[in-house]
Amino acid sequence: MKNGVLVVDDEADMRVLVRGIIDRANEGLQVVSEASSGKEALDRWRETKPNVILLDHRMPDMTGLETAELVLAEQPDQHIVMFSAYLDEATVERAFALGVRACLDKRDLARIPETLWGLGAA
Amino acid sequence: MGSGRGLTARPWFAAIAIAAFVAAVAIAGFALTGASAERAAARTSRAVAQATAASIDARLQGDAAWLEAAGRSPADVASRADPSRFASRDGVVFGVASEIASRAVPLRVLWAAGDNGRAFAAADLASVPAWRVALDVARDSGHTAIAAARDRAGAWTVLQLRALYANGIVPSDVSARRQHTEGFVVLLEPSASLLPASADDSQHAAIRVLQGSAVLTTVDGAAVAPGSEATATANLGAWTVAAHSTAADSTRYVVLGLGFLLALAVGAVVGAGDKSRRAVAAAAVARANELGLVARIGPLLQQSLDVADLLPLFVVEVSDELALESSAVSLLNPSGELTRAFSLGALSSASTMDASPLVDRVTSVAVGDPIAIPLQRGGRVIGSLTAVATQGLGASQVDALRAACDLFAAALGNAASLREERDLVARLRELDGLKATFLGGVSHELRTMVVAIEGFADLLGTTSAHFDESQRQDFIERIRRNARSLGVLVEDLLDFARLDSAGMSVTLSATNLSDLVPKVVDQMSSILVGRHVAMSVSPDVVATADPAAIERILVNLLSNAAKYTPAGTDVDVELTATGTTALLSVADHGPGIEPAERARVFELFYRVDNASARAARGVGIGLALVRQLTDLLHGTITADETPGGGARFRLEIPLVDLGAADNDAPRHSASSRSHADVQAS
């Protein structure tokens, strides 16, 4: 059973790119759903129950942090990895305080697979 | 202003009071002088009387002594007596008399001064009762006897005699004396001789010698006024001497007269002084009021830096103080016209003074006349104060008003400067904020596009096993699109840098928009993926433009549309020509732009404030560039609403003038405006 990943990013290019990266890694990871907004993410999450949510922070209606907060309120042990083109210290601290498992800069998208494996192994 | 009232309010009060005081002093002086004069007169009278009595006594005693020594018998006297002593006494008669049995006593005149001798020759001394008494007294006492009586002619005559006894021996008892009297030695003289010659007037006294109430003789014989008499006795108390001072004492009248003159003079001086003091005080009060106006205006104008507050504050204060009506302030507007900014009360003909030249050399204003004072700052007229002076204005009031107007003009200038400063500060702050957002946006935009290009290229670089051909083509297309967007952003940033320095320029030539527009839309197709472009292009629309500029404008507008509209919606591009204008419009069906922001979207760094815009791509310089380029093309760009919702941008530029000879020759239009100008436009 592969680890399911929910990819959340408002930009299509990012979703396609991340999906490509995960598919190429092909080590027990599979993108099971995508969402382009926080609200959509919640719906997809409940539907598909992914093992990990890959969550962009900078989104129009709800930020990644806000979305993470809602998810973790419902299910505190849900694995979430946040990424963004620009992550400042305050946001990172807050994310970890909420229970987000990892934060990635978008420039390091290639490291998504190993980050997800790291979570899976835990 | 009560300090000037009181005494100085009633004009002649002080003068009259002082004059009355001086007059009272003069009257008192008059009285005192009179009293002392009276006392002096009394003293003089007494002295004169006493001196006169003493001199009469002395004379009579001298005469008695001579009679004693004149001789012992009538024969002796006749031969020996020397009457030269009496030579200076007018009317003296010297003689001897002897008694006859019939008791008549005829006088035998031995010597007479003047003509009196004949009158008394053989006169019967006993016929006058007073002399009869004197004869008896002389016989009986053996001493000299004196008596005064009127003679037949009515003139007072003084008789002095001594009895002559037998053998020259005076018997010791009366009866013996009576028996042995042989005769008498006699002196007769008019009573006037008693008194010294009246030629000496230095005593200023009238003198009377009285025997009882009968006046024997007088000197300065005017009727004697009572009250200043003094009496002295002479002749052993038988006679009194009365003296009355006749010194015409005019001193006190002089004192009185001088006193009244002095009172008048002092009154006049005080009155005049008072009047001039009042005039000076009134002038000082007026000046203090005017300075007070100027002194009050200063702090009053400091209370606010808002013109709307300063206008009423100033006009009300000045109108109150100087009794002005229909006061109004007009200010120069940016077009150079005087427009009314504030007025107080009903406007009268003063309103017509806005157009008349402002008279700066008015020195005073008649009652009810209008006045206009220019408001000047730094030598420039910035407005005027017009009013009607209901009570007129004096020269110093006009000066004070002018000074107040200068202060007011300075305050207005300060208020305007402050407003400009505040506006500038606000714009700078806004600019600061926008720049911060810009930098944040630029970072995000660049990174996203670079990440996409790198990422897809990386995926393409992996072995072909994972991705099929369609996927690979998809990746390539995405790279292309991101590269193009990156190119747009880089161009925008470069133009932005150029805005700050030398400025942009265009080269105008006849441009066939009908060809150009579809080409650009096609080039942008990768960016516009997912959105259908509905194009409506009229043929043969040739405008005077720069193709590169048109391309940049259209690229930016389409890029905006792609950012702000969701996939699946249409973007409408329309090109038409009307009259002399080419009209190019790009409309989306996205959230649109609020009416209040439609003019501001063209400002540098300005980004629409809504949820989708906050996360949308773009850094806020595209539309500013569009505006700048449009201006260089002598066109206009506006933003409004797409029918049915959405943002629509309309570009209008002039069509080529087909009648012009050189419409094919490129024309160069350059902008040297700086970045600040772009924001301001």
Side-chain angles (χ1 to χ4, degrees):
Chain A
M1 169 61 178
K2 289 198 175 175
N3 281 329
V5 181
L6 165 59
V7 177
V8 183
D9 195 308
D10 60 317
E11 288 174 26
D13 284 345
M14 283 297 111
R15 293 196 298 274
V16 169
L17 183 55
V18 168
R19 183 190 277 270
I21 291 170
I22 290 175
D23 284 349
R24 180 176 65 173
N26 198 23
E27 291 282 345
L29 295 170
Q30 185 187 12
V31 176
V32 296
S33 51
E34 292 177 12
S36 61
S37 73
K39 183 174 177 311
E40 204 185 324
L42 289 170
D43 292 337
R44 293 289 94 78
W45 172 60
R46 291 192 188 101
E47 280 169 20
T48 59
K49 303 247 181 286
N51 298 95
V52 179
I53 307 178
L54 209 46
L55 189 48
D56 178 30
H57 175 52
R58 206 160 172 274
M59 289 194 291
D61 56 345
M62 240 193 312
T63 66
L65 263 185
E66 286 162 359
T67 313
E69 197 169 4
L70 288 174
V71 167
L72 290 168
E74 268 187 45
Q75 187 178 330
D77 64 347
Q78 171 66 50
H79 293 319
I80 301 181
V81 173
M82 224 167 72
F83 61 94
S84 178
Y86 183 72
L87 280 175
D88 62 298
E89 258 186 52
T91 313
V92 169
E93 269 181 35
R94 175 111 180 92
F96 283 131
L98 279 175
V100 169
R101 299 300 302 276
C103 290
L104 271 183
D105 193 298
K106 273 189 181 164
R107 290 173 287 188
D108 293 332
L109 285 181
R111 289 177 47 214
I112 287 179
E114 69 193 65
T115 310
L116 296 179
W117 291 328
L119 293 180
Chain B
M1 307 291 153
S3 58
R5 305 278 157 79
L7 268 181
T8 57
R10 280 159 283 192
W12 293 99
F13 184 83
I16 288 172
I18 291 183
F21 177 72
V22 173
V25 168
I27 290 169
F30 174 80
L32 283 172
T33 315
S36 78
E38 277 177 11
R39 280 196 300 280
R43 279 196 302 274
T44 309
S45 309
R46 265 199 308 281
V48 166
Q50 284 165 354
T52 308
S55 83
I56 293 173
D57 271 342
R59 171 182 288 189
L60 292 175
Q61 281 172 14
D63 289 349
W66 188 84
L67 282 172
E68 298 273 326
R72 294 170 195 257
S73 68
D76 197 14
V77 170
S79 62
R80 278 182 41 194
D82 176 15
S84 61
R85 156 196 174 84
F86 304 106
S88 61
R89 283 156 68 160
D90 201 29
V92 170
V93 173
F94 167 63
V96 293
S98 54
E99 200 169 350
I100 301 174
S102 62
R103 301 185 63 84
V105 181
L107 176 64
R108 187 175 96 178
V109 176
L110 295 176
W111 180 86
D115 295 328
N116 244 2
R118 272 178 283 133
F120 285 100
D124 182 4
L125 297 177
S127 62
V128 178
W131 292 348
R132 175 78 255 174
V133 169
L135 286 165
D136 288 341
V137 167
R139 181 199 300 118
D140 292 347
S141 69
H143 295 310
T144 306
I146 305 177
R150 284 193 206 268
D151 63 8
R152 281 195 297 276
W156 285 92
T157 306
V158 175
L159 170 74
Q160 291 186 77
L161 52 83
R162 184 170 70 82
L164 294 166
Y165 300 101
N167 304 324
I169 298 167
V170 181
S172 53
D173 61 275
V174 173
S175 60
R177 290 185 195 138
R178 289 188 189 160
Q179 264 186 331
H180 294 101
T181 301
E182 290 189 341
F184 301 90
V185 56
V186 174
L187 273 178
L188 281 164
E189 63 185 321
S191 65
S193 315
L194 290 173
L195 294 174
S198 63
D200 182 24
D201 282 327
S202 63
Q203 289 177 350
H204 300 292
I207 306 173
R208 294 181 300 180
V209 180
L210 302 155
Q211 183 169 270
S213 60
V215 178
L216 298 183
T217 182
T218 68
V219 168
D220 291 340
V224 175
S228 57
E229 272 185 8
T231 58
T233 59
N235 187 25
L236 308 174
W239 297 339
T240 56
V241 177
H244 169 64
S245 175
T246 59
D249 183 25
S250 56
T251 307
R252 55 185 179 155
Y253 291 100
V254 170
V255 167
L256 189 67
L258 282 178
F260 281 135
L261 281 176
L262 186 66
L264 279 173
V266 167
V269 165
V270 169
D274 186 47
K275 195 169 163 195
S276 79
R277 252 201 313 283
R278 282 192 315 113
V280 167
V285 164
R287 175 115 301 235
N289 284 345
E290 287 142 26
L291 289 174
L293 168 67
V294 177
R296 273 198 308 281
I297 287 285
L300 204 63
L301 293 177
Q302 304 244 359
Q303 285 174 22
S304 170
L305 282 165
D306 188 350
V307 173
D309 290 340
L310 293 177
L311 284 168
L313 277 175
F314 177 74
V315 174
V316 166
E317 182 68 25
V318 158
S319 301
D320 272 351
E321 179 63 32
L322 297 173
L324 302 174
E325 270 183 7
S326 311
S327 313
V329 171
S330 303
L331 296 175
L332 223 53
N333 66 15
S335 337
E337 298 160 350
L338 271 181
T339 54
R340 185 169 306 275
F342 178 83
S343 65
L344 190 68
L347 293 179
S348 65
S349 62
S351 61
T352 62
M353 283 191 295
D354 287 338
S356 64
L358 295 169
V359 179
D360 202 20
R361 284 294 132 225
V362 166
T363 49
S364 66
V365 179
V367 172
D369 272 3
I371 183 170
I373 306 273
L375 300 172
Q376 301 182 86
R377 192 160 186 262
R380 281 180 31 243
V381 172
I382 63 167
S384 74
L385 168 73
T386 55
V388 171
T390 59
Q391 293 179 15
L393 295 175
S396 56
Q397 286 176 310
V398 172
D399 282 345
L401 181 58
R402 217 177 259 123
C405 284
D406 286 343
L407 286 175
F408 183 50
L412 287 177
N414 289 346
S417 296
L418 184 72
R419 206 174 42 239
E420 282 171 21
E421 258 180 49
R422 279 200 185 130
D423 289 347
L424 189 62
V425 166
R427 299 194 72 159
L428 285 174
R429 282 222 184 92
E430 200 186 355
L431 194 59
D432 249 2
L434 291 174
K435 267 189 188 167
T437 315
F438 166 71
L439 285 176
V442 164
S443 305
H444 186 265
E445 292 289 302
L446 289 174
R447 284 211 187 112
T448 307
M449 287 184 276
V450 166
V451 160
I453 292 170
E454 273 189 335
F456 287 120
D458 186 48
L459 289 182
L460 282 171
T462 59
T463 55
S464 60
H466 268 106
F467 305 111
D468 62 26
E469 189 53 32
S470 70
Q471 275 178 303
R472 298 180 81 86
Q473 286 304 317
D474 180 51
F475 292 168
I476 290 169
E477 188 51 42
R478 288 177 193 271
I479 290 173
R480 200 176 279 134
R481 180 160 36 75
N482 275 282
R484 182 142 185 84
S485 293
L486 187 55
V488 171
L489 179 58
V490 165
E491 288 303 312
D492 280 354
L493 287 172
L494 288 175
D495 279 334
F496 169 62
R498 259 180 249 138
L499 279 178
D500 237 357
S501 54
M504 305 192 299
S505 68
V506 296
T507 306
L508 297 175
S509 62
T511 307
N512 190 320
L513 297 177
S514 307
D515 291 340
L516 181 59
V517 169
K519 237 194 306 193
V520 173
V521 172
D522 191 49
Q523 281 169 3
M524 291 290 286
S525 58
S526 52
I527 293 183
L528 291 165
V529 66
R531 295 146 186 96
H532 178 243
V533 177
M535 247 195 325
S536 159
V537 173
S538 304
D540 301 318
V541 177
V542 181
T544 306
D546 180 332
I550 297 288
E551 186 179 334
R552 294 300 317 284
I553 291 170
L554 195 47
V555 160
N556 266 295
L557 292 177
L558 289 171
S559 175
N560 260 5
K563 280 178 217 157
Y564 294 105
T565 56
T569 60
D570 279 2
V571 174
D572 305 321
V573 174
E574 190 181 329
L575 175 67
T576 54
T578 58
T580 57
T581 314
L583 175 62
L584 174 62
S585 87
V586 176
D588 64 50
H589 298 272
I593 305 169
E594 291 292 314
E597 295 187 282
R598 282 173 200 164
R600 299 206 67 189
V601 287
F602 297 103
E603 286 175 27
L604 194 58
F605 301 139
Y606 188 86
R607 296 185 63 196
V608 178
D609 185 25
N610 59 34
S612 70
R614 259 184 273 125
R617 304 170 69 170
V619 296
I621 59 180
L623 286 178
L625 283 168
V626 166
R627 159 77 67 78
Q628 177 90 326
L629 289 165
T630 307
D631 287 345
L632 289 173
L633 296 174
H634 306 297
T636 57
I637 181 86
T638 49
D640 62 4
E641 191 172 5
T642 312
R648 179 168 69 179
F649 292 87
R650 299 159 75 111
L651 169 73
E652 289 176 54
I653 47 178
L655 288 173
V656 153
D657 181 0
L658 294 171
D662 57 344
N663 58 2
D664 283 335
R667 285 199 325 261
H668 192 75
S669 166
S671 154
S672 59
R673 279 189 295 173
S674 67
H675 150 220
D677 284 341
V678 168
Q679 175 160 29
S681 61

